[in-house]
């Protein structure tokens, strides 16, 4: 294991000293001590390219994480079964069993955050990864330091908010401390981001949020592909709406984004008073023909 004060990865896979060795990984400075908040979490890195796996593992190791590595899907499932990880960094393009199938099988065994690595730039591939439950994705070439920050962000949101009280509205109940959600008393199978998104919307009933706002408040990022938000809203609707094709609770606000509208006797929210969004009222988001919010409304998936 490398010492925490070392500023660069091992020479063999150092993107600083061999910037042309692997163009899929951007050159970056290793994470500083200030960014280390691993808390003993264990990360499973699954990639069939040994160079990529070594660089990613090296950065995570120096950030204070315990790291397991696997070169294909069956090995990843075996290692996860032997020592269940706190998070999986999973390459989409694996030999034999691809990353999507690995993600599905992991989720069948239990909840675990997944960050997808993909060399594909096509939006359909990224959306497919999110559809099977990935919590985030990074497209190659990527910055190893950014990947570490994304790992930290995802893990930070898996830690229960002990002080937060349960929320109830429109037949939905969310318990942030236990990280459980239910609809009419039946527990919902939500991914990490779906849970965080539902919790955020329940805390802010009746307020419209642009996708940029949701990306910042729920994902903790000031930048990113906004289709991530669109996909998670669609998936969440499929689990909380009586008729996802005609969403009543999570409504699309044209030219802006989304709004949670509790109605009827369950409209009163318990546990938290409605909070105003950070900053000023969200500005309307651009809505070109390819805008994912408009497409979302058309698909109503």
């Amino acid at each position: 294991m490398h010492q925490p004060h070392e500023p660069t990865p091992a020479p063999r896979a150092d993107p600083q000293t061999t910037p042309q060795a692997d163009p899929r990984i951007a050159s970056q400075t290793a994470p500083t001590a200030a960014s280390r908040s691993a808390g003993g979490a264990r990360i499973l890195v699954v990639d069939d390219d040994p160079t990529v796996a070594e660089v990613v593992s090296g950065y995570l190791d120096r950030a204070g994480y315990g790291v397991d590595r696997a070169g294909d899907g069956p090995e990843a499932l075996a290692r996860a079964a032997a020592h269940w990880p706190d998070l999986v960094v999973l390459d989409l393009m694996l030999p034999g069993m691809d990353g999507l199938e690995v993600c599905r099988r992991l989720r069948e065994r239990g909840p675990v955050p997944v960050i997808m690595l993909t060399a594909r730039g096509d939006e359909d591939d990224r959306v497919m990864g999110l559809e099977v439950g990935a919590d985030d994705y990074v497209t190659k070439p990527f910055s190893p330091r950014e990947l570490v920050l994304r790992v930290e962000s995802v893990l930070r949101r898996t830690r229960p908010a002990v002080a937060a009280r349960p929320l109830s509205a429109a037949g939905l109940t969310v318990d942030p401390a236990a990280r459980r959600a239910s609809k009419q008393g039946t527990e919902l199978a939500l991914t990490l981001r779906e849970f965080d998104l539902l919790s955020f919307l329940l805390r802010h009933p009746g307020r419209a949020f642009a996708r940029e706002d949701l990306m910042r408040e729920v994902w903790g990022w000031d930048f990113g592909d906004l289709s991530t938000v669109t996909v998670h809203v669609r998936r969440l609707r499929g689990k909380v709406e009586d008729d996802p094709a005609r969403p009543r609770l999570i409504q699309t606000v044209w030219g802006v984004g989304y709004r949670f509208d509790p109605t009827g006797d369950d409209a009163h929210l318990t546990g938290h008073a409605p909070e105003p969004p950070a900053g000023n009222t969200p500005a309307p988001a651009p809505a070109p023909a390819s805008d994912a919010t408009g497409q979302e409304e058309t698909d109503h998936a």
Side-chain angles (χ1 to χ4, degrees), residues 216-253:
R216 181 179 62 252
E217 298 293 338
V218 177
W219 276 256
W221 291 89
D222 291 321
F223 60 92
D225 188 341
L226 296 181
S227 66
T228 299
V229 177
T230 306
V231 171
H232 280 80
V233 167
R234 184 167 68 241
R235 287 177 55 86
L236 186 57
R237 280 173 168 169
K239 298 177 180 181
V240 305
E241 298 281 359
D242 292 333
D243 182 2
R246 298 179 181 275
R248 179 177 63 86
L249 299 176
I250 304 175
Q251 299 183 4
T252 297
V253 181

Side-chain angles (χ1 to χ4, degrees), residues 24 116-122 126 137-143:
R24 293 161 295 182
M116 285 266 187
L117 294 181
T118 173
R120 299 177 177 178
D122 186 77
R126 300 196 301 269
Y137 66 85
V138 177
T139 303
K140 300 176 183 179
F142 62 89
S143 154

Side-chain angles (χ1 to χ4, degrees), residues 56-135:
V56 170
S57 299
Y59 271 80
L60 291 170
D61 176 66
R62 280 187 300 282
Y65 296 101
V67 182
D68 284 335
R69 285 169 54 177
D72 56 38
E75 184 183 2
L77 296 176
R79 288 188 177 275
H83 193 150
W84 193 252
D86 295 293
L87 183 144
V88 179
V89 176
L90 177 62
D91 187 30
L92 179 63
M93 297 296 293
L94 293 172
M97 182 188 301
D98 65 20
L100 297 177
E101 181 62 23
V102 174
C103 186
R104 290 190 189 97
R105 296 195 184 188
L106 285 172
R107 286 290 167 77
E108 289 175 356
R109 297 185 180 186
V112 60
V114 175
I115 297 178
M116 285 266 187
L117 294 181
T118 173
R120 299 177 177 178
D122 186 77
E123 180 178 335
D124 289 341
D125 294 313
R126 300 196 301 269
V127 169
M128 190 178 299
L130 296 172
E131 289 281 11
V132 298
D135 299 286

Side-chain angles (χ1 to χ4, degrees), residues 2-10 14-17 28-33 36 58-59 62 145:
H2 302 294
Q3 295 300 317
H5 66 272
E6 293 181 8
T8 56
D14 184 1
Q16 293 281 11
T17 58
Q28 285 286 333
T29 302
T32 63
R36 298 185 184 109
Y59 271 80
R62 280 187 300 282
R145 187 170 187 274

Side-chain angles (χ1 to χ4, degrees), residues 240-293:
V240 305
E241 298 281 359
D242 292 333
D243 182 2
R246 298 179 181 275
R248 179 177 63 86
L249 299 176
I250 304 175
Q251 299 183 4
T252 297
V253 181
W254 282 99
V256 180
Y258 304 102
R259 176 180 61 226
F260 178 73
D261 279 336
T263 58
D265 294 337
D266 292 326
H268 178 66
L269 202 66
T270 62
H272 287 270
E275 301 173 9
N280 298 325
T281 302
S290 59
D291 181 84
T293 303

